[in-house]
């Protein structure tokens, strides 16, 4: 670790891992309710369980991005953070807002808009947190070296904050509401978050492969261009059936089909950089997460997204378990694995140790990824059956749910395996083996 202010990233990494564990735990509870509908029905209704599950996902991913930025900006800018104290205050304010939101959900205090359920005071708190972060990181960027990695990352994070402002607008017309709702949700996950993904992967490739920065940055600009070109107008695939003009079907079909391209470019980029570098980096677990991120993002966001993005197909599949299959693998591949890649790379430096528990970490990678893939196939099969029975044959919704119950059982089983894998990953990142602790302690006086 070159700069002492990078240590503030530890707050965000540990906070993100805590919320990650909570997100997976509530996901397993939600899967349990699917097969035992009356479980917790009075104490904690399903809509609240799902709300906590999805919101915890968004918050811990954002917290991971903040931590990644606080870690890599000093190295990219070759200067200390503008204010480490402000970063720590920001963290605790963010955690307090998160806790308050969860309590509000349990008590029934929320706005009811999926992913944007936060009550107005919590939304204001999120904006304050974002402003503190942008002030701190922007001043750090301005006083130091400017690189493609730091510039792209900061542009993306600025747009994350700006696009969130649409969450404050809640029109009474449902079609208009959904248009603005997708300005936040789609333009985050299929727009500016892809820029965050590309910049962090570029940083990891520079550090772990030894390839010249100039080569990596050229690839970065290509991936950013492809992401923005396809992602912005790709929003149209959400406008097919919400009352918007018919031209959105053409726009949505064309540009959302092209959204596969930037994800494929990221696969080629990561594997080409590792092959070109020919460098055997000691942190094999971080390299595995980086490569795995590009591959699973391509399948989850690219291939599974394309499967039901054409309007003629989406007419039948919209809102079925196929959507859930795409959502689970896309979020896991593109953004969960991205955060785990940067955490796995940064923690040994932040804690002043050699990479440890790598075997456990990599076993966690394979177990979690395999279980998520199995869950995706399970939900896909459930969605195909649901589409045929409900949308083609016209069977009653609840009758169809009985027909796909077996798939919900297998989804629950894969969710339990995901929980086991995530436990292994978090343990490998946070808990050092006894010999590593002794060795690190023995080294400290000499240092």
């Amino acid at each position: 670790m070159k700069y002492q202010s990078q240590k503030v990233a530890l707050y965000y990494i540990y906070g993100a891992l805590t919320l990650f564990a909570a997100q997976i735990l509530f996901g397993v509870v939600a899967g349990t309710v699917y097969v035992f509908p009356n479980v917790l029905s009075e104490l904690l209704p399903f809509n609240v369980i799902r709300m906590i599950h999805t919101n915890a996902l968004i918050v811990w991913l954002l917290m991971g991005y903040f931590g990644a930025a606080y870690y890599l900006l000093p190295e990219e800018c070759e200067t200390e953070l503008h204010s480490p104290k402000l970063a720590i205050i920001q963290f605790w304010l963010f955690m307090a807002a998160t806790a308050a939101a969860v309590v509000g959900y349990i008590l029934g205090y929320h706005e009811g808009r999926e992913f944007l359920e936060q009550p107005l005071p919590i939304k204001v708190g999120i904006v304050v947190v974002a402003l503190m972060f942008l002030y701190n990181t922007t001043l750090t960027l301005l006083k130091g070296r400017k690189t493609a990695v730091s510039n792209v990352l900061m542009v993306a994070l600025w747009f994350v904050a700006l696009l969130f402002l649409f969450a404050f607008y809640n029109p009474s017309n449902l079609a208009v509401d959904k248009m603005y709702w997708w300005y936040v949700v789609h333009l985050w996950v299929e727009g500016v978050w892809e820029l965050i993904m590309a910049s962090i992967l570029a940083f990891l490739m520079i550090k772990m492969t030894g390839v010249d920065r100039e080569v990596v940055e050229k690839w970065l600009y290509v991936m950013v261009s492809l992401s923005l070109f396809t992602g912005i107008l790709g929003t149209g695939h959400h406008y097919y059936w919400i009352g918007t003009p018919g031209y959105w079907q053409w726009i949505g079909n064309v540009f959302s089909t092209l959204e596969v391209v930037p994800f494929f470019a990221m696969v080629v980029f990561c594997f080409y950089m590792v092959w070109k570098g020919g460098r055997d980096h000691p942190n094999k677990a971080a390299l595995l997460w980086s490569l795995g991120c590009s591959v699973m993002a391509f399948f989850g966001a690219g291939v599974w997204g394309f499967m039901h993005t054409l309007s003629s197909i989406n007419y039948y599949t919209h809102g079925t378990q196929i959507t859930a299959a795409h959502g689970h693998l896309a979020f896991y591949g593109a953004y969960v694995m991205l955060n785990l890649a940067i955490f796995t790379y940064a923690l040994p430096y932040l804690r002043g140790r050699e990479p440890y528990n790598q075997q456990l970490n990599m076993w966690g990678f394979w177990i979690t990824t395999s279980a998520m893939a199995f869950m995706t196939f399970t939900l896909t099969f459930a969605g195909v059956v649901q589409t045929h029975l409900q949308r083609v044959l016209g069977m009653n919704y609840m009758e169809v749910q009985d027909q796909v119950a077996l798939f919900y059982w297998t989804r629950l089983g894969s969710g339990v395996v995901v929980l086991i894998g995530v436990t292994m990953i978090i343990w490998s990142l946070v808990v050092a083996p006894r010999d590593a602790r002794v060795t690190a302690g023995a080294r400290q006086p000499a240092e």
Side-chain angles (χ1 to χ4, degrees):
M1 193 176 69
K2 297 179 180 179
Y3 302 95
Q4 289 304 306
S5 58
Q6 287 177 286
K7 285 186 178 178
V8 299
L10 276 173
Y11 287 87
Y12 291 86
I13 292 174
Y14 289 151
L17 290 174
T18 301
L19 293 173
F20 181 31
Q23 181 230 331
I24 300 302
L25 187 60
F26 272 89
V28 172
V29 173
T32 304
V33 174
Y34 260 88
V35 297
F36 295 110
N38 291 324
V39 170
L40 300 175
S41 58
E42 295 184 7
L43 181 64
L44 202 62
F46 178 79
N47 70 304
V48 175
I49 296 171
R50 184 180 184 276
M51 210 180 296
I52 296 173
H53 176 59
T54 55
N55 277 253
L57 169 68
I58 301 300
V59 171
W60 92 257
L61 290 177
L62 287 172
M63 193 167 286
Y65 300 156
F66 291 160
Y70 282 135
Y71 177 80
L72 69 84
L73 275 179
E75 287 195 23
E76 288 294 301
C77 299
E78 296 183 339
T79 183
E80 296 284 1
L81 286 174
H82 174 70
S83 175
K85 289 184 179 179
L86 184 63
I88 295 172
I89 295 171
Q90 175 209 332
F91 168 78
W92 288 114
L93 181 59
F94 198 16
M95 287 295 285
T98 302
V102 171
V103 172
Y105 298 157
I106 294 172
L107 297 178
Y109 182 50
H110 55 81
E111 291 192 354
R113 301 171 78 197
E114 187 181 14
F115 294 114
L116 303 178
E117 294 96 344
Q118 308 84 22
L120 180 61
I122 302 299
K123 284 188 170 73
V124 173
I126 293 171
V127 171
V128 171
V129 166
L131 290 174
M132 293 169 69
F133 170 77
L134 292 172
Y135 170 80
N136 205 353
T137 51
T138 302
L139 288 183
T140 302
L141 180 67
L142 291 176
K143 74 176 180 178
R145 180 183 67 158
K146 281 76 175 175
T147 68
V149 171
S150 60
N151 289 340
V152 169
L153 179 63
M154 284 309 304
V155 167
L157 289 167
W158 266 97
F159 273 99
V160 167
L162 291 173
L163 289 168
F164 182 73
L165 296 178
F166 286 109
F168 286 87
Y169 182 50
N170 190 0
S172 57
N173 184 292
L174 190 60
V176 177
D177 166 46
K178 282 301 179 184
M179 284 197 69
Y180 285 100
W181 186 82
W182 285 115
Y183 284 0
V184 183
V185 179
H186 175 97
L187 293 179
W188 265 16
V189 301
E190 296 175 69
V192 293
W193 280 25
E194 287 186 32
L195 272 59
I196 295 173
M197 178 183 174
S199 58
I200 293 176
L201 284 177
F203 173 79
L204 290 170
M205 291 299 106
I206 290 171
K207 294 296 181 181
M208 290 194 290
T209 66
V211 174
D212 289 342
R213 175 179 291 273
E214 197 172 316
V215 176
V216 174
E217 290 182 342
K218 287 178 181 177
W219 274 89
L220 176 59
Y221 284 130
V222 170
M223 292 186 295
V224 167
S225 302
L226 291 171
S227 297
L228 293 177
F229 175 71
T230 60
I232 294 174
L233 287 176
T235 311
H237 66 224
H238 302 294
Y239 293 168
Y240 293 153
W241 320 116
I242 66 169
T244 50
Y247 56 74
W248 278 111
Q249 292 200 14
W250 285 100
I251 296 173
N253 279 335
V254 172
F255 286 92
S256 62
T257 298
L258 294 174
E259 284 189 71
V260 178
V261 178
F263 286 105
F264 182 71
M266 289 186 194
V267 177
V268 176
F269 163 70
C270 288
F271 279 84
Y272 176 68
M273 290 301 114
V274 173
W275 172 79
K276 184 177 176 66
R279 182 172 168 180
D280 188 19
H281 194 274
N283 196 334
K284 292 179 175 59
L287 199 58
L288 178 63
W289 280 108
S290 301
L291 294 173
C293 171
S294 65
V295 172
M296 299 308 290
F298 168 68
F299 282 104
V303 176
W304 255 256
F306 173 73
M307 281 171 57
H308 64 139
T309 198
L310 298 177
S311 59
S312 55
I313 298 173
N314 186 268
Y315 180 80
Y316 295 96
T317 63
H318 187 82
T320 66
Q321 293 298 323
I322 292 176
T323 304
H326 162 58
H328 277 81
L329 193 61
F331 266 111
Y332 175 73
Y335 305 122
V336 170
M337 296 180 83
L338 177 69
N339 267 347
L340 294 175
I342 189 67
F343 294 172
T344 302
Y345 173 79
L347 276 172
Y349 294 105
L350 291 169
R351 300 181 66 177
R353 298 192 178 103
E354 294 299 317
Y356 52 80
N357 278 334
Q358 286 204 73
Q359 290 297 322
L360 183 62
N361 190 310
M362 290 189 282
W363 271 107
F365 168 92
W366 288 112
I367 290 172
T368 306
T369 304
S370 300
M372 282 302 303
F374 184 81
M375 183 186 297
T376 301
F377 287 122
T378 293
L379 291 172
T380 302
F381 296 146
V384 170
V385 173
Q386 181 185 7
T387 299
H388 182 70
L389 296 181
Q390 186 177 326
R391 304 288 169 80
V392 179
L393 300 183
M395 287 178 61
N396 179 275
Y397 174 81
M398 291 308 296
E399 290 178 336
V400 174
Q401 293 303 299
D402 287 338
Q403 297 298 316
V404 297
L406 175 63
F407 296 109
Y408 293 152
W409 275 103
T410 53
R411 190 261 299 272
L412 175 59
S414 60
V416 172
V417 178
V418 167
L419 179 61
I420 294 170
V422 168
T423 303
M424 294 169 65
I425 294 163
I426 295 175
W427 184 275
S428 72
L429 293 173
V430 174
V431 181
R434 182 178 298 275
D435 57 344
R437 287 196 296 267
V438 172
T439 306
R443 281 202 306 263
Q444 284 174 0
E447 292 172 354

